[in-house]
């Protein structure tokens, strides 16, 4: 049995490859490298030129060259995530809308990868660099329709690290949801430095019912120490606008 690790932890700490139970570690985005590695093992050919691959050779950690980030065209060509009907039947509780009794299914959708910010407490800039890549609005809406029609999903959580990091892109996605998206409720994560009233209004029109704000602290010095120069008045202003919009 060949054991392959991937994800945030092994990408940040490739030395985990030295563990006896692990044969390979794929660093960063793994869709392309994983397929290439499986093919090389199947065909019994060398894997030493496969990018983003880490392994132990002669007792030493070896890391192949890095591969560039996947762009929009590559992200759009990826198959939609394989879903479990059992998991999609889960409900979301807490401060949510609609209430759990009215929900018919919950799904997570990744419309972008990475983040342009550099917060010390986040692994993303260390793993993916300070660059955000996004799927096209059309591709995202296609997946939402699949979730709605095939799995009866009523609620979606966008797992983008910051849905509004690129205001123009977020606005365009919202416009596409309004134009041809399914009737679905959704929530996202955002930063008070990257949003304005116009975008918040558009998000509500597109079906957004909740925003998880990355405020973290109201102490400027504490925020500055983790490379998040966000001031208290910024948070107050945006939260008041959001509350007014409802």
């Amino acid at each position: 049995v060949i054991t392959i690790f991937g994800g945030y932890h092994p990408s940040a700490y490739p030395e985990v490859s030295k563990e006896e139970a692990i044969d390979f570690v794929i660093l960063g985005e793994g869709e392309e490298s994983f397929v290439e590695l499986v093919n090389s093992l199947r065909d019994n050919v060398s894997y030493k030129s496969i990018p983003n691959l880490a392994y132990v050779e002669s007792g030493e950690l070896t890391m192949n060259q890095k591969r560039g980030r996947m762009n929009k065209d590559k992200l759009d060509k990826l198959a939609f995530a394989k879903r479990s009907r059992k998991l999609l039947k889960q409900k979301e509780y807490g401060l949510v809308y609609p209430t759990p009794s009215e929900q018919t299914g919950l799904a997570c959708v990744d419309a972008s990868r990475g983040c342009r910010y550099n917060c010390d407490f986040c692994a993303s800039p260390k793993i993916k660099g300070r660059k955000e890549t996004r799927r096209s609005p059309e591709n995202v809406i296609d997946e939402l329709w699949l979730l709605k029609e095939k799995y009866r999903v009523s609620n979606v959580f966008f797992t983008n690290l910051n849905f509004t990091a690129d205001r123009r892109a977020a606005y365009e996605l919202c416009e596409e949801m309004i134009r041809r998206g399914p009737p679905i409720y959704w929530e996202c994560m955002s930063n008070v430095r990257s949003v304005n009233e116009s975008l918040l209004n558009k998000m509500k029109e597109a079906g957004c019912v909740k925003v998880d704000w990355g405020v973290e602290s109201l102490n400027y010095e504490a925020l500055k120490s983790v490379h998040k120069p966000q001031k208290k008045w910024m948070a107050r202003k945006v939260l008041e606008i959001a509350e007014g919009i409802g």
Side-chain angles (χ1 to χ4, degrees):
V1 176
I2 302 295
T3 304
I4 305 170
F5 268 35
Y8 278 104
H9 178 75
S11 294
Y13 186 68
E15 287 79 4
V16 73
S17 305
K18 295 182 178 180
E19 296 288 336
E20 285 188 21
I22 301 173
D23 297 296
F24 299 97
V25 163
I26 294 179
L27 311 172
E29 294 174 313
E31 288 89 350
E32 293 175 302
S33 296
F34 181 78
V35 172
E36 293 168 1
L37 176 59
V38 169
N39 289 340
S40 73
L41 295 173
R42 179 198 61 194
D43 300 335
N44 196 29
V45 298
S46 175
Y47 46 76
K48 294 183 179 181
S49 63
I50 297 176
N52 287 13
L53 191 64
Y55 49 91
V56 172
E57 186 175 53
S58 301
E60 297 295 327
L61 174 65
T62 299
M63 291 189 289
N64 293 351
Q65 73 274 22
K66 292 184 178 181
R67 187 194 301 273
R69 292 283 306 283
M70 298 181 75
N71 58 25
K72 182 184 71 174
D73 292 337
K74 287 187 175 182
L75 292 178
D76 280 359
K77 289 178 181 177
L78 293 176
F80 294 147
K82 188 176 182 180
R83 306 284 184 171
S84 163
R85 290 183 182 275
K86 182 178 180 180
L87 290 178
L88 290 178
K89 289 181 180 179
Q90 293 185 107
K91 306 295 179 69
E92 184 177 11
Y93 295 87
L95 297 174
V96 296
Y97 181 86
T99 60
S101 63
E102 297 177 303
Q103 297 172 24
T104 57
L106 171 67
C108 292
V109 173
D110 197 4
S112 75
R113 295 180 176 183
C115 181
R116 63 184 59 184
Y117 293 133
N118 193 35
C119 304
D120 265 359
F121 53 80
C122 181
S124 181
K126 300 173 183 63
I127 307 303
K128 299 177 180 177
R130 296 176 63 181
K131 178 183 178 182
E132 181 188 42
T133 53
R134 286 179 172 263
R135 297 162 57 190
S136 67
E138 296 79 12
N139 184 255
V140 175
I141 300 304
D142 287 345
E143 184 173 17
L144 295 183
W145 270 113
L146 175 70
L147 291 169
K148 182 71 174 181
E149 294 183 330
K150 185 175 180 179
Y151 300 104
R152 297 185 65 244
V153 164
S154 60
N155 290 60
V156 162
F157 175 64
F158 282 108
T159 58
N160 308 34
L161 295 178
N162 182 358
F163 186 86
T164 62
D166 184 332
R167 292 184 193 176
R168 180 177 177 180
Y171 201 92
E172 290 174 350
L173 176 55
C174 287
E175 287 193 318
E176 188 69 6
M177 282 193 267
I178 295 166
R179 187 179 74 84
R180 71 173 192 94
I184 209 164
Y185 301 102
W186 56 274
E187 66 178 273
C188 65
M189 296 182 284
S190 181
N191 185 299
V192 297
R193 292 179 290 165
S194 63
V195 72
N196 57 27
E197 186 171 1
S198 175
L199 178 54
L200 286 172
N201 275 306
K202 183 61 67 172
M203 288 165 62
K204 181 179 180 180
E205 186 182 354
C208 180
V209 293
K210 182 180 179 182
V211 178
D212 302 319
W213 298 104
V215 175
E216 271 76 56
S217 174
L218 295 178
N219 185 293
Y220 179 69
E221 293 302 319
L223 290 170
K224 191 168 67 170
S225 71
V226 292
H227 297 145
K228 190 169 187 175
Q230 172 181 293
K231 296 186 177 180
K232 184 164 57 176
W233 68 264
M234 297 177 181
R236 181 185 293 115
K237 178 181 178 180
V238 169
L239 294 179
E240 287 176 349
I241 292 172
E243 183 181 18
I245 292 173

